[in-house]
Amino acid sequence: MRQENDPISLFLTDYSGVDYSINNDNELSAHTDVEHLVNADELYIVFDTEIEGAMGPAFVPFSDESDATDFADTHGGMVNEHDEITPEIVDSHGM
């Protein structure tokens, strides 16, 4: 259920639709062009990986569940639907 301070909508990069890369420091490439953004409700999120994002531990969104699973199999981590990512999960990863 939406709380008073919850965002009305949230858009994230769909890594199923971009040619991403991971550098030697395990940092994930950023893709912020509007054509790569998808409503978060449609995404599977990989978290608890060895990969870093621009602001710390990466939460990597994919529209295709098999892409998310493949990423987690390769880089570690867990796959959840966006609405299953709780504030406690985010807080436990130093965000």
PDB file of all heavy atoms in Angstrom, residues 4-39:
ATOM      1  N   GLU A   4       2.241   7.925   2.490  1.00  0.00           N
ATOM      2  CA  GLU A   4       2.212   9.346   2.164  1.00  0.00           C
ATOM      3  C   GLU A   4       3.500   9.832   1.482  1.00  0.00           C
ATOM      4  O   GLU A   4       3.453  10.623   0.552  1.00  0.00           O
ATOM      5  CB  GLU A   4       1.963  10.161   3.430  1.00  0.00           C
ATOM      6  CG  GLU A   4       1.904  11.649   3.186  1.00  0.00           C
ATOM      7  CD  GLU A   4       1.629  12.425   4.454  1.00  0.00           C
ATOM      8  OE1 GLU A   4       1.073  11.852   5.412  1.00  0.00           O
ATOM      9  OE2 GLU A   4       1.989  13.608   4.488  1.00  0.00           O
ATOM     10  N   ASN A   5       4.657   9.358   1.936  1.00  0.00           N
ATOM     11  CA  ASN A   5       5.924   9.838   1.396  1.00  0.00           C
ATOM     12  C   ASN A   5       6.489   8.966   0.287  1.00  0.00           C
ATOM     13  O   ASN A   5       7.593   9.205  -0.190  1.00  0.00           O
ATOM     14  CB  ASN A   5       6.958   9.960   2.520  1.00  0.00           C
ATOM     15  CG  ASN A   5       6.587  11.044   3.509  1.00  0.00           C
ATOM     16  OD1 ASN A   5       5.995  12.050   3.139  1.00  0.00           O
ATOM     17  ND2 ASN A   5       6.908  10.832   4.764  1.00  0.00           N
ATOM     18  N   ASP A   6       5.751   7.954  -0.144  1.00  0.00           N
ATOM     19  CA  ASP A   6       6.212   7.088  -1.231  1.00  0.00           C
ATOM     20  C   ASP A   6       6.160   7.854  -2.555  1.00  0.00           C
ATOM     21  O   ASP A   6       5.260   8.669  -2.774  1.00  0.00           O
ATOM     22  CB  ASP A   6       5.335   5.844  -1.356  1.00  0.00           C
ATOM     23  CG  ASP A   6       5.569   4.850  -0.236  1.00  0.00           C
ATOM     24  OD1 ASP A   6       6.559   4.997   0.512  1.00  0.00           O
ATOM     25  OD2 ASP A   6       4.749   3.925  -0.115  1.00  0.00           O
ATOM     26  N   PRO A   7       7.096   7.566  -3.457  1.00  0.00           N
ATOM     27  CA  PRO A   7       7.036   8.215  -4.764  1.00  0.00           C
ATOM     28  C   PRO A   7       5.799   7.744  -5.534  1.00  0.00           C
ATOM     29  O   PRO A   7       5.334   6.616  -5.365  1.00  0.00           O
ATOM     30  CB  PRO A   7       8.315   7.743  -5.458  1.00  0.00           C
ATOM     31  CG  PRO A   7       8.756   6.537  -4.716  1.00  0.00           C
ATOM     32  CD  PRO A   7       8.216   6.659  -3.328  1.00  0.00           C
ATOM     33  N   ILE A   8       5.284   8.617  -6.376  1.00  0.00           N
ATOM     34  CA  ILE A   8       4.139   8.255  -7.209  1.00  0.00           C
ATOM     35  C   ILE A   8       4.573   7.233  -8.249  1.00  0.00           C
ATOM     36  O   ILE A   8       3.871   6.279  -8.529  1.00  0.00           O
ATOM     37  CB  ILE A   8       3.539   9.506  -7.874  1.00  0.00           C
ATOM     38  CG1 ILE A   8       2.945  10.405  -6.789  1.00  0.00           C
ATOM     39  CG2 ILE A   8       2.504   9.128  -8.916  1.00  0.00           C
ATOM     40  CD1 ILE A   8       2.516  11.757  -7.274  1.00  0.00           C
ATOM     41  N   SER A   9       5.739   7.436  -8.821  1.00  0.00           N
ATOM     42  CA  SER A   9       6.315   6.451  -9.741  1.00  0.00           C
ATOM     43  C   SER A   9       7.827   6.559  -9.679  1.00  0.00           C
ATOM     44  O   SER A   9       8.382   7.576  -9.294  1.00  0.00           O
ATOM     45  CB  SER A   9       5.807   6.650 -11.170  1.00  0.00           C
ATOM     46  OG  SER A   9       6.173   7.916 -11.651  1.00  0.00           O
ATOM     47  N   LEU A  10       8.478   5.475 -10.059  1.00  0.00           N
ATOM     48  CA  LEU A  10       9.933   5.399 -10.026  1.00  0.00           C
ATOM     49  C   LEU A  10      10.387   4.719 -11.305  1.00  0.00           C
ATOM     50  O   LEU A  10       9.883   3.657 -11.658  1.00  0.00           O
ATOM     51  CB  LEU A  10      10.386   4.595  -8.804  1.00  0.00           C
ATOM     52  CG  LEU A  10      11.877   4.315  -8.658  1.00  0.00           C
ATOM     53  CD1 LEU A  10      12.648   5.614  -8.444  1.00  0.00           C
ATOM     54  CD2 LEU A  10      12.110   3.368  -7.498  1.00  0.00           C
ATOM     55  N   PHE A  11      11.313   5.341 -12.001  1.00  0.00           N
ATOM     56  CA  PHE A  11      11.856   4.778 -13.226  1.00  0.00           C
ATOM     57  C   PHE A  11      13.335   4.477 -13.027  1.00  0.00           C
ATOM     58  O   PHE A  11      14.065   5.286 -12.465  1.00  0.00           O
ATOM     59  CB  PHE A  11      11.655   5.746 -14.397  1.00  0.00           C
ATOM     60  CG  PHE A  11      10.230   5.842 -14.821  1.00  0.00           C
ATOM     61  CD1 PHE A  11       9.328   6.650 -14.162  1.00  0.00           C
ATOM     62  CD2 PHE A  11       9.767   5.089 -15.891  1.00  0.00           C
ATOM     63  CE1 PHE A  11       8.002   6.725 -14.536  1.00  0.00           C
ATOM     64  CE2 PHE A  11       8.441   5.147 -16.290  1.00  0.00           C
ATOM     65  CZ  PHE A  11       7.561   5.971 -15.604  1.00  0.00           C
ATOM     66  N   LEU A  12      13.732   3.291 -13.469  1.00  0.00           N
ATOM     67  CA  LEU A  12      15.119   2.836 -13.340  1.00  0.00           C
ATOM     68  C   LEU A  12      15.622   2.364 -14.694  1.00  0.00           C
ATOM     69  O   LEU A  12      14.839   1.986 -15.566  1.00  0.00           O
ATOM     70  CB  LEU A  12      15.201   1.676 -12.337  1.00  0.00           C
ATOM     71  CG  LEU A  12      14.714   1.953 -10.921  1.00  0.00           C
ATOM     72  CD1 LEU A  12      14.661   0.653 -10.122  1.00  0.00           C
ATOM     73  CD2 LEU A  12      15.592   2.976 -10.240  1.00  0.00           C
ATOM     74  N   THR A  13      16.935   2.334 -14.845  1.00  0.00           N
ATOM     75  CA  THR A  13      17.532   1.800 -16.065  1.00  0.00           C
ATOM     76  C   THR A  13      17.228   0.320 -16.181  1.00  0.00           C
ATOM     77  O   THR A  13      17.434  -0.441 -15.235  1.00  0.00           O
ATOM     78  CB  THR A  13      19.056   2.004 -16.054  1.00  0.00           C
ATOM     79  OG1 THR A  13      19.327   3.406 -15.997  1.00  0.00           O
ATOM     80  CG2 THR A  13      19.704   1.414 -17.293  1.00  0.00           C
ATOM     81  N   ASP A  14      16.763  -0.095 -17.342  1.00  0.00           N
ATOM     82  CA  ASP A  14      16.523  -1.510 -17.629  1.00  0.00           C
ATOM     83  C   ASP A  14      17.797  -2.094 -18.230  1.00  0.00           C
ATOM     84  O   ASP A  14      18.096  -1.866 -19.393  1.00  0.00           O
ATOM     85  CB  ASP A  14      15.356  -1.662 -18.594  1.00  0.00           C
ATOM     86  CG  ASP A  14      15.116  -3.095 -19.021  1.00  0.00           C
ATOM     87  OD1 ASP A  14      15.707  -4.019 -18.409  1.00  0.00           O
ATOM     88  OD2 ASP A  14      14.338  -3.286 -19.973  1.00  0.00           O
ATOM     89  N   TYR A  15      18.549  -2.835 -17.434  1.00  0.00           N
ATOM     90  CA  TYR A  15      19.806  -3.405 -17.915  1.00  0.00           C
ATOM     91  C   TYR A  15      19.584  -4.559 -18.886  1.00  0.00           C
ATOM     92  O   TYR A  15      20.536  -5.009 -19.519  1.00  0.00           O
ATOM     93  CB  TYR A  15      20.718  -3.784 -16.737  1.00  0.00           C
ATOM     94  CG  TYR A  15      21.476  -2.574 -16.241  1.00  0.00           C
ATOM     95  CD1 TYR A  15      20.891  -1.674 -15.355  1.00  0.00           C
ATOM     96  CD2 TYR A  15      22.751  -2.290 -16.700  1.00  0.00           C
ATOM     97  CE1 TYR A  15      21.562  -0.545 -14.931  1.00  0.00           C
ATOM     98  CE2 TYR A  15      23.440  -1.162 -16.289  1.00  0.00           C
ATOM     99  CZ  TYR A  15      22.842  -0.293 -15.404  1.00  0.00           C
ATOM    100  OH  TYR A  15      23.508   0.840 -14.990  1.00  0.00           O
ATOM    101  N   SER A  16      18.346  -5.014 -19.062  1.00  0.00           N
ATOM    102  CA  SER A  16      18.054  -5.980 -20.124  1.00  0.00           C
ATOM    103  C   SER A  16      18.144  -5.304 -21.493  1.00  0.00           C
ATOM    104  O   SER A  16      18.342  -5.972 -22.500  1.00  0.00           O
ATOM    105  CB  SER A  16      16.645  -6.566 -19.966  1.00  0.00           C
ATOM    106  OG  SER A  16      16.577  -7.445 -18.873  1.00  0.00           O
ATOM    107  N   GLY A  17      17.999  -3.990 -21.528  1.00  0.00           N
ATOM    108  CA  GLY A  17      17.947  -3.263 -22.789  1.00  0.00           C
ATOM    109  C   GLY A  17      19.169  -2.439 -23.115  1.00  0.00           C
ATOM    110  O   GLY A  17      19.127  -1.637 -24.056  1.00  0.00           O
ATOM    111  N   VAL A  18      20.247  -2.587 -22.359  1.00  0.00           N
ATOM    112  CA  VAL A  18      21.459  -1.810 -22.629  1.00  0.00           C
ATOM    113  C   VAL A  18      22.663  -2.737 -22.755  1.00  0.00           C
ATOM    114  O   VAL A  18      22.651  -3.865 -22.271  1.00  0.00           O
ATOM    115  CB  VAL A  18      21.743  -0.753 -21.533  1.00  0.00           C
ATOM    116  CG1 VAL A  18      20.606   0.241 -21.434  1.00  0.00           C
ATOM    117  CG2 VAL A  18      22.011  -1.390 -20.188  1.00  0.00           C
ATOM    118  N   ASP A  19      23.681  -2.231 -23.389  1.00  0.00           N
ATOM    119  CA  ASP A  19      24.950  -2.958 -23.514  1.00  0.00           C
ATOM    120  C   ASP A  19      25.850  -2.487 -22.370  1.00  0.00           C
ATOM    121  O   ASP A  19      26.671  -1.597 -22.550  1.00  0.00           O
ATOM    122  CB  ASP A  19      25.576  -2.678 -24.877  1.00  0.00           C
ATOM    123  CG  ASP A  19      26.815  -3.505 -25.135  1.00  0.00           C
ATOM    124  OD1 ASP A  19      26.988  -4.560 -24.493  1.00  0.00           O
ATOM    125  OD2 ASP A  19      27.626  -3.091 -25.993  1.00  0.00           O
ATOM    126  N   TYR A  20      25.648  -3.063 -21.193  1.00  0.00           N
ATOM    127  CA  TYR A  20      26.392  -2.621 -20.017  1.00  0.00           C
ATOM    128  C   TYR A  20      27.775  -3.264 -19.971  1.00  0.00           C
ATOM    129  O   TYR A  20      28.051  -4.250 -20.643  1.00  0.00           O
ATOM    130  CB  TYR A  20      25.615  -2.909 -18.723  1.00  0.00           C
ATOM    131  CG  TYR A  20      25.392  -4.379 -18.420  1.00  0.00           C
ATOM    132  CD1 TYR A  20      26.350  -5.115 -17.751  1.00  0.00           C
ATOM    133  CD2 TYR A  20      24.213  -5.016 -18.788  1.00  0.00           C
ATOM    134  CE1 TYR A  20      26.145  -6.458 -17.461  1.00  0.00           C
ATOM    135  CE2 TYR A  20      24.001  -6.345 -18.507  1.00  0.00           C
ATOM    136  CZ  TYR A  20      24.976  -7.063 -17.842  1.00  0.00           C
ATOM    137  OH  TYR A  20      24.771  -8.390 -17.565  1.00  0.00           O
ATOM    138  N   SER A  21      28.625  -2.665 -19.152  1.00  0.00           N
ATOM    139  CA  SER A  21      29.952  -3.228 -18.932  1.00  0.00           C
ATOM    140  C   SER A  21      30.286  -3.118 -17.455  1.00  0.00           C
ATOM    141  O   SER A  21      29.682  -2.350 -16.713  1.00  0.00           O
ATOM    142  CB  SER A  21      30.998  -2.492 -19.775  1.00  0.00           C
ATOM    143  OG  SER A  21      31.069  -1.133 -19.400  1.00  0.00           O
ATOM    144  N   ILE A  22      31.257  -3.919 -17.050  1.00  0.00           N
ATOM    145  CA  ILE A  22      31.757  -3.900 -15.678  1.00  0.00           C
ATOM    146  C   ILE A  22      33.256  -3.738 -15.778  1.00  0.00           C
ATOM    147  O   ILE A  22      33.942  -4.530 -16.441  1.00  0.00           O
ATOM    148  CB  ILE A  22      31.379  -5.199 -14.940  1.00  0.00           C
ATOM    149  CG1 ILE A  22      29.850  -5.320 -14.875  1.00  0.00           C
ATOM    150  CG2 ILE A  22      32.011  -5.234 -13.555  1.00  0.00           C
ATOM    151  CD1 ILE A  22      29.343  -6.649 -14.421  1.00  0.00           C
ATOM    152  N   ASN A  23      33.794  -2.687 -15.149  1.00  0.00           N
ATOM    153  CA  ASN A  23      35.227  -2.420 -15.271  1.00  0.00           C
ATOM    154  C   ASN A  23      36.045  -3.278 -14.303  1.00  0.00           C
ATOM    155  O   ASN A  23      35.497  -4.092 -13.552  1.00  0.00           O
ATOM    156  CB  ASN A  23      35.526  -0.927 -15.126  1.00  0.00           C
ATOM    157  CG  ASN A  23      35.307  -0.396 -13.721  1.00  0.00           C
ATOM    158  OD1 ASN A  23      35.293  -1.132 -12.736  1.00  0.00           O
ATOM    159  ND2 ASN A  23      35.138   0.925 -13.617  1.00  0.00           N
ATOM    160  N   ASN A  24      37.356  -3.087 -14.302  1.00  0.00           N
ATOM    161  CA  ASN A  24      38.261  -3.895 -13.472  1.00  0.00           C
ATOM    162  C   ASN A  24      38.052  -3.699 -11.975  1.00  0.00           C
ATOM    163  O   ASN A  24      38.511  -4.513 -11.168  1.00  0.00           O
ATOM    164  CB  ASN A  24      39.717  -3.602 -13.836  1.00  0.00           C
ATOM    165  CG  ASN A  24      40.073  -4.121 -15.211  1.00  0.00           C
ATOM    166  OD1 ASN A  24      39.461  -5.063 -15.719  1.00  0.00           O
ATOM    167  ND2 ASN A  24      41.060  -3.500 -15.836  1.00  0.00           N
ATOM    168  N   ASP A  25      37.381  -2.605 -11.599  1.00  0.00           N
ATOM    169  CA  ASP A  25      37.074  -2.349 -10.186  1.00  0.00           C
ATOM    170  C   ASP A  25      35.676  -2.859  -9.812  1.00  0.00           C
ATOM    171  O   ASP A  25      35.148  -2.495  -8.759  1.00  0.00           O
ATOM    172  CB  ASP A  25      37.167  -0.852  -9.884  1.00  0.00           C
ATOM    173  CG  ASP A  25      38.593  -0.332  -9.985  1.00  0.00           C
ATOM    174  OD1 ASP A  25      39.532  -1.085  -9.632  1.00  0.00           O
ATOM    175  OD2 ASP A  25      38.769   0.823 -10.422  1.00  0.00           O
ATOM    176  N   ASN A  26      35.088  -3.682 -10.681  1.00  0.00           N
ATOM    177  CA  ASN A  26      33.733  -4.232 -10.481  1.00  0.00           C
ATOM    178  C   ASN A  26      32.662  -3.150 -10.423  1.00  0.00           C
ATOM    179  O   ASN A  26      31.661  -3.290  -9.722  1.00  0.00           O
ATOM    180  CB  ASN A  26      33.654  -5.120  -9.243  1.00  0.00           C
ATOM    181  CG  ASN A  26      34.160  -6.509  -9.515  1.00  0.00           C
ATOM    182  OD1 ASN A  26      34.249  -6.936 -10.664  1.00  0.00           O
ATOM    183  ND2 ASN A  26      34.494  -7.233  -8.468  1.00  0.00           N
ATOM    184  N   GLU A  27      32.860  -2.061 -11.174  1.00  0.00           N
ATOM    185  CA  GLU A  27      31.877  -0.993 -11.236  1.00  0.00           C
ATOM    186  C   GLU A  27      31.038  -1.136 -12.503  1.00  0.00           C
ATOM    187  O   GLU A  27      31.568  -1.293 -13.597  1.00  0.00           O
ATOM    188  CB  GLU A  27      32.563   0.369 -11.227  1.00  0.00           C
ATOM    189  CG  GLU A  27      33.319   0.634  -9.946  1.00  0.00           C
ATOM    190  CD  GLU A  27      34.212   1.861 -10.011  1.00  0.00           C
ATOM    191  OE1 GLU A  27      34.634   2.245 -11.126  1.00  0.00           O
ATOM    192  OE2 GLU A  27      34.495   2.421  -8.955  1.00  0.00           O
ATOM    193  N   LEU A  28      29.742  -1.061 -12.341  1.00  0.00           N
ATOM    194  CA  LEU A  28      28.785  -1.204 -13.428  1.00  0.00           C
ATOM    195  C   LEU A  28      28.650   0.104 -14.195  1.00  0.00           C
ATOM    196  O   LEU A  28      28.587   1.182 -13.600  1.00  0.00           O
ATOM    197  CB  LEU A  28      27.428  -1.603 -12.843  1.00  0.00           C
ATOM    198  CG  LEU A  28      26.294  -1.895 -13.798  1.00  0.00           C
ATOM    199  CD1 LEU A  28      26.608  -3.123 -14.648  1.00  0.00           C
ATOM    200  CD2 LEU A  28      25.014  -2.107 -13.011  1.00  0.00           C
ATOM    201  N   SER A  29      28.589   0.016 -15.518  1.00  0.00           N
ATOM    202  CA  SER A  29      28.398   1.206 -16.340  1.00  0.00           C
ATOM    203  C   SER A  29      27.007   1.802 -16.094  1.00  0.00           C
ATOM    204  O   SER A  29      26.050   1.088 -15.790  1.00  0.00           O
ATOM    205  CB  SER A  29      28.572   0.865 -17.822  1.00  0.00           C
ATOM    206  OG  SER A  29      27.681  -0.158 -18.217  1.00  0.00           O
ATOM    207  N   ALA A  30      26.916   3.122 -16.223  1.00  0.00           N
ATOM    208  CA  ALA A  30      25.656   3.837 -16.029  1.00  0.00           C
ATOM    209  C   ALA A  30      25.015   4.127 -17.378  1.00  0.00           C
ATOM    210  O   ALA A  30      25.704   4.428 -18.354  1.00  0.00           O
ATOM    211  CB  ALA A  30      25.901   5.139 -15.274  1.00  0.00           C
ATOM    212  N   HIS A  31      23.696   4.031 -17.423  1.00  0.00           N
ATOM    213  CA  HIS A  31      22.936   4.302 -18.650  1.00  0.00           C
ATOM    214  C   HIS A  31      21.698   5.096 -18.245  1.00  0.00           C
ATOM    215  O   HIS A  31      20.711   4.523 -17.787  1.00  0.00           O
ATOM    216  CB  HIS A  31      22.544   2.992 -19.339  1.00  0.00           C
ATOM    217  CG  HIS A  31      23.726   2.154 -19.680  1.00  0.00           C
ATOM    218  ND1 HIS A  31      24.399   2.285 -20.869  1.00  0.00           N
ATOM    219  CD2 HIS A  31      24.383   1.208 -18.973  1.00  0.00           C
ATOM    220  CE1 HIS A  31      25.421   1.433 -20.888  1.00  0.00           C
ATOM    221  NE2 HIS A  31      25.429   0.776 -19.741  1.00  0.00           N
ATOM    222  N   THR A  32      21.755   6.407 -18.411  1.00  0.00           N
ATOM    223  CA  THR A  32      20.691   7.271 -17.898  1.00  0.00           C
ATOM    224  C   THR A  32      19.831   7.911 -18.982  1.00  0.00           C
ATOM    225  O   THR A  32      18.965   8.718 -18.665  1.00  0.00           O
ATOM    226  CB  THR A  32      21.292   8.376 -17.012  1.00  0.00           C
ATOM    227  OG1 THR A  32      22.251   9.111 -17.781  1.00  0.00           O
ATOM    228  CG2 THR A  32      21.966   7.786 -15.777  1.00  0.00           C
ATOM    229  N   ASP A  33      20.042   7.534 -20.245  1.00  0.00           N
ATOM    230  CA  ASP A  33      19.207   8.087 -21.305  1.00  0.00           C
ATOM    231  C   ASP A  33      17.767   7.630 -21.097  1.00  0.00           C
ATOM    232  O   ASP A  33      17.496   6.482 -20.722  1.00  0.00           O
ATOM    233  CB  ASP A  33      19.698   7.634 -22.683  1.00  0.00           C
ATOM    234  CG  ASP A  33      21.068   8.215 -23.024  1.00  0.00           C
ATOM    235  OD1 ASP A  33      21.417   9.276 -22.477  1.00  0.00           O
ATOM    236  OD2 ASP A  33      21.774   7.594 -23.847  1.00  0.00           O
ATOM    237  N   VAL A  34      16.836   8.519 -21.364  1.00  0.00           N
ATOM    238  CA  VAL A  34      15.432   8.274 -21.076  1.00  0.00           C
ATOM    239  C   VAL A  34      14.902   7.015 -21.765  1.00  0.00           C
ATOM    240  O   VAL A  34      14.032   6.331 -21.220  1.00  0.00           O
ATOM    241  CB  VAL A  34      14.573   9.520 -21.408  1.00  0.00           C
ATOM    242  CG1 VAL A  34      14.506   9.766 -22.901  1.00  0.00           C
ATOM    243  CG2 VAL A  34      13.203   9.406 -20.783  1.00  0.00           C
ATOM    244  N   GLU A  35      15.427   6.672 -22.924  1.00  0.00           N
ATOM    245  CA  GLU A  35      14.914   5.483 -23.624  1.00  0.00           C
ATOM    246  C   GLU A  35      15.253   4.179 -22.904  1.00  0.00           C
ATOM    247  O   GLU A  35      14.682   3.134 -23.218  1.00  0.00           O
ATOM    248  CB  GLU A  35      15.397   5.417 -25.080  1.00  0.00           C
ATOM    249  CG  GLU A  35      16.878   5.219 -25.248  1.00  0.00           C
ATOM    250  CD  GLU A  35      17.647   6.514 -25.453  1.00  0.00           C
ATOM    251  OE1 GLU A  35      17.114   7.601 -25.153  1.00  0.00           O
ATOM    252  OE2 GLU A  35      18.796   6.439 -25.904  1.00  0.00           O
ATOM    253  N   HIS A  36      16.156   4.231 -21.921  1.00  0.00           N
ATOM    254  CA  HIS A  36      16.529   3.038 -21.158  1.00  0.00           C
ATOM    255  C   HIS A  36      15.780   2.926 -19.829  1.00  0.00           C
ATOM    256  O   HIS A  36      15.966   1.961 -19.102  1.00  0.00           O
ATOM    257  CB  HIS A  36      18.035   3.033 -20.881  1.00  0.00           C
ATOM    258  CG  HIS A  36      18.869   3.088 -22.102  1.00  0.00           C
ATOM    259  ND1 HIS A  36      18.798   2.170 -23.121  1.00  0.00           N
ATOM    260  CD2 HIS A  36      19.811   3.976 -22.488  1.00  0.00           C
ATOM    261  CE1 HIS A  36      19.647   2.478 -24.071  1.00  0.00           C
ATOM    262  NE2 HIS A  36      20.262   3.574 -23.711  1.00  0.00           N
ATOM    263  N   LEU A  37      14.939   3.904 -19.526  1.00  0.00           N
ATOM    264  CA  LEU A  37      14.234   3.922 -18.251  1.00  0.00           C
ATOM    265  C   LEU A  37      12.898   3.195 -18.349  1.00  0.00           C
ATOM    266  O   LEU A  37      12.162   3.340 -19.320  1.00  0.00           O
ATOM    267  CB  LEU A  37      14.011   5.360 -17.786  1.00  0.00           C
ATOM    268  CG  LEU A  37      15.283   6.188 -17.586  1.00  0.00           C
ATOM    269  CD1 LEU A  37      14.920   7.611 -17.180  1.00  0.00           C
ATOM    270  CD2 LEU A  37      16.209   5.546 -16.587  1.00  0.00           C
ATOM    271  N   VAL A  38      12.604   2.402 -17.315  1.00  0.00           N
ATOM    272  CA  VAL A  38      11.383   1.598 -17.256  1.00  0.00           C
ATOM    273  C   VAL A  38      10.777   1.767 -15.863  1.00  0.00           C
ATOM    274  O   VAL A  38      11.507   1.915 -14.872  1.00  0.00           O
ATOM    275  CB  VAL A  38      11.717   0.105 -17.528  1.00  0.00           C
ATOM    276  CG1 VAL A  38      10.510  -0.783 -17.320  1.00  0.00           C
ATOM    277  CG2 VAL A  38      12.288  -0.077 -18.928  1.00  0.00           C
ATOM    278  N   ASN A  39       9.472   1.731 -15.781  1.00  0.00           N
ATOM    279  CA  ASN A  39       8.806   1.802 -14.489  1.00  0.00           C
ATOM    280  C   ASN A  39       9.318   0.668 -13.602  1.00  0.00           C
ATOM    281  O   ASN A  39       9.339  -0.494 -14.005  1.00  0.00           O
ATOM    282  CB  ASN A  39       7.287   1.691 -14.670  1.00  0.00           C
ATOM    283  CG  ASN A  39       6.539   1.980 -13.395  1.00  0.00           C
ATOM    284  OD1 ASN A  39       6.809   1.399 -12.357  1.00  0.00           O
ATOM    285  ND2 ASN A  39       5.590   2.885 -13.481  1.00  0.00           N
TER     286      ASN A  39
END
